[in-house]
Amino acid sequence: MSATPFAEPSRILITGARGQIGRALVRLLERDPDFNVVSCSRRQLDITNRKQIADKLAEVLPDYVVNCAGFNRVDPAENDPQQAYALNAQGVAELAALCGELSIPLLHLSSDYVFDGHYASGYNESDDAAPLGIYGDSKWQGEEHIRRLLPRHIILRVSWIFSESGNNFLLRTLEQARHERSIQAVDDRRGCPTSADDVARVLQAILKQLANGAEAWGTYHYCGAEVTTRYGFSEAILAAARQYEELAVTELVPVSSRDMPEAAERPASSVLKCSKLLNTFGIRQRPWRSELQRLVRELYAVQLLEEAQSRRVGAGDADQVAKAQ
Ligand SMILES: NC(=O)c1ccc[n+]([C@@H]2O[C@H](COP(=O)([O-])OP(=O)(O)OC[C@H]3O[C@@H](n4cnc5c(N)ncnc54)[C@H](OP(=O)(O)O)[C@@H]3O)[C@@H](O)[C@H]2O)c1
């Protein structure tokens, strides 16, 4: 049921709508009568293009903008800093400035990579930023531009996003596990996996409260409940997938991050403390394990249905599909 039954739906402009979080948010808000969604892929709205932003804002006149666009590739950012800053810092600054001119609040996604990762127990919103690389620094600069240019903003820092599409750890691990006998996973980096659908749920809840008059602008943290390592996350992914198929992998090897050749240094602790979000908006962390189970079940349901359709299903296939659904 609608939270504000007699109010007009809020008009939400979503940028980066084809990304992991963008897709999840569009899917969720399009089903919600409280919202009227205008979603823009990079082709429809390039946030590094000032004129395109100005034209789109004037055309749509949204009540809120949610920026899901980002240069998100941590290692390539080290080799191509210009692209990372152009999008994560300057593009975000343009968006914030133009939203400011029209008094449109902006909800923006940032990252645990603004921290150096030395606090094993996790980070509060007020802890000092100290990015280790270009990606984290570009995200931090984007945040600072927003704070300077647009008081009515929400910056939501999230971590370790997984979903059914795009470049993410869940899909990379599943791919490896289906083709390789032995796979490695880092066991000295701690964090909280977070499903894109779960972030969408959080953004939806925040938007509803803002639309109902909450004046709670500022920076917040959100991640799935339960701290783990990349190794622990890999174990959970393999266990979930083995419910539906026999995997090629027989060995999961824990390794130190020192043994993984990567261009960018990564925070040892990506743990975000989320009590400010709970105390301000009443939004609780949801366990990533149940989100993982749901997503893996859905991935196999889609895959088995596709396989079954292409082979015109035997009774055995139908049983497998039923199990995954
Ligand atoms: N993924 C994570 O683990 C993670 C962790 C912490 C924070 N975050 C933050 O969360 C946000 C969303 O992440 P995500 O995982 O959903 O990212 P994603 O899947 O990489 O999606 C980003 C989207 O931005 C679009 N984009 C790229 N350049 C653009 C431009 N100039 N103008 C407009 N759109 C552009 C991309 O379009 P194309 O597909 O056409 O390139 C893509 O659809 C980002 O700000 C990211 O920094 C992500």
Side-chain angles (χ1 to χ4, degrees):
M1 203 171 82
S2 167
T4 49
F6 305 112
E8 285 285 308
S10 300
R11 186 180 279 264
I12 314 292
L13 176 66
I14 301 175
T15 62
R18 303 277 306 154
Q20 296 190 80
I21 295 176
R23 278 171 194 264
L25 187 63
V26 171
R27 219 168 26 226
L28 189 63
L29 297 194
E30 278 185 346
R31 294 199 307 257
D32 186 332
D34 283 347
F35 299 106
N36 188 340
V37 178
V38 178
S39 67
C40 294
S41 66
R42 180 218 291 246
R43 202 170 46 77
Q44 291 161 317
L45 175 57
D46 177 348
I47 69 156
T48 62
N49 184 323
R50 186 185 163 82
K51 176 159 179 355
Q52 275 190 28
I53 306 173
D55 288 350
K56 188 58 82 174
L57 289 179
E59 174 199 326
V60 176
L61 285 178
D63 296 304
Y64 302 91
V65 172
V66 185
N67 179 34
C68 296
F71 185 98
N72 217 5
R73 289 168 295 136
V74 175
D75 291 319
E78 294 297 316
N79 304 321
D80 192 358
Q82 222 181 331
Q83 261 213 59
Y85 285 112
L87 179 53
N88 293 342
Q90 285 106 36
V92 169
E94 295 286 13
L95 188 60
L98 290 164
C99 283
E101 282 176 19
L102 295 170
S103 286
I104 301 167
L106 173 66
L107 282 72
H108 172 74
L109 289 153
S110 190
S111 166
D112 53 293
Y113 274 62
V114 301
F115 298 118
D116 60 15
H118 293 162
Y119 290 2
S121 63
Y123 285 87
N124 284 309
E125 290 79 354
S126 55
D127 286 327
D128 288 340
L132 295 172
I134 301 294
Y135 169 70
D137 190 55
S138 67
K139 294 300 291 184
W140 171 246
Q141 288 197 19
E143 287 192 10
E144 289 285 84
H145 286 309
I146 294 173
R147 289 188 194 99
R148 182 170 52 81
L149 293 163
L150 184 64
R152 292 205 305 158
H153 67 258
I154 299 283
I155 294 169
L156 186 66
R157 293 186 186 132
V158 296
S159 67
W160 291 21
I161 300 298
F162 63 96
S163 75
E164 78 295 342
S165 65
N167 177 22
N168 67 69
F169 190 79
L170 164 64
L171 297 184
R172 285 197 303 273
T173 304
L174 280 178
E175 182 62 19
Q176 276 188 300
R178 298 175 102 187
H179 299 107
E180 294 168 31
R181 201 187 60 76
S182 173
I183 61 180
Q184 299 183 326
V186 169
D187 73 344
D188 57 2
R189 225 180 273 146
R190 288 155 47 82
C192 301
T194 312
S195 86
D197 287 321
D198 199 18
V199 177
R201 168 188 72 93
V202 171
L203 290 168
Q204 177 193 38
I206 293 174
L207 281 165
K208 286 196 183 221
Q209 296 193 38
L210 296 176
N212 281 320
E215 289 280 340
W217 310 109
T219 301
Y220 296 88
H221 287 175
Y222 184 76
C223 57
E226 194 192 320
V227 178
T228 187
T229 60
R230 287 296 195 191
Y231 180 85
F233 190 31
S234 299
E235 272 187 319
I237 292 169
L238 300 188
R242 283 192 175 114
Q243 296 173 98
Y244 305 107
E245 80 172 326
E246 204 174 313
L247 299 169
V249 69
T250 54
E251 183 184 46
L252 178 64
V253 184
V255 292
S256 154
S257 31
R258 281 192 309 275
D259 300 326
M260 294 293 254
E262 289 171 321
E265 193 182 347
R266 287 160 162 76
S269 167
S270 283
V271 180
L272 298 173
K273 291 184 175 167
C274 305
S275 51
K276 184 178 170 193
L277 194 73
L278 175 64
N279 295 335
T280 310
F281 290 104
I283 299 170
R284 283 183 194 283
Q285 288 173 278
R286 190 174 273 183
W288 58 263
R289 285 183 191 276
S290 54
E291 285 292 287
L292 175 66
Q293 287 291 340
R294 175 186 61 75
L295 204 55
V296 170
R297 187 172 64 239
E298 287 173 11
L299 283 169
Y300 277 97
V302 170
Q303 182 202 317
L304 288 170
L305 273 171
E306 281 170 1
E307 284 173 8
Q309 274 158 2
S310 69
R311 275 186 281 129
R312 296 191 184 246
V313 231
D317 291 330
D319 286 352
Q320 277 281 81
V321 172
K323 190 179 170 199
Q325 279 173 332

